[in-house]
Amino acid sequence: MYSQINVDRRNLSIMGVPFPDAETLESTAAAIGSNMFEGFRPTRKGIEIIRDYCLGKLTIEQLAVISAERSYE
């Protein structure tokens, strides 16, 4: 089930998670939206993880481990 999440473009945040710039916020919002159609239910921690991946703070391998362990919940 898809449900709307709070994207605050003025304050550069998604569900209260801050972003350093509009580009990262938009790419993260797009990734979250796509995954929500496949059943992903975003949490604050999950948004932080996706943001950090988009910023290059996490590798694809680290993201795969987090995903497999469901550490984003």
Side-chain angles (χ1 to χ4, degrees):
M1 176 169 87
Y2 182 84
S3 60
Q4 187 173 352
I5 60 172
N6 181 15
V7 178
D8 184 345
R9 287 175 174 82
R10 173 180 248 179
N11 293 310
L12 297 177
S13 69
I14 299 175
M15 291 178 64
V17 176
F19 287 79
D21 55 66
E23 182 180 351
T24 305
L25 179 130
E26 293 299 335
S27 62
T28 302
I32 291 167
S34 295
N35 286 303
M36 287 176 69
F37 282 109
E38 296 179 19
F40 174 68
R41 292 191 177 153
T43 63
R44 184 175 172 89
K45 185 174 182 180
I47 292 170
E48 290 170 347
I49 291 166
I50 295 168
R51 175 202 58 198
D52 291 348
Y53 174 73
C54 288
L55 289 171
K57 294 181 179 181
L58 293 173
T59 65
I60 191 69
E61 292 82 10
Q62 290 170 313
L63 189 61
V65 169
I66 290 168
S67 180
E69 293 175 347
R70 300 184 64 89
S71 299
Y72 53 84
E73 296 179 337

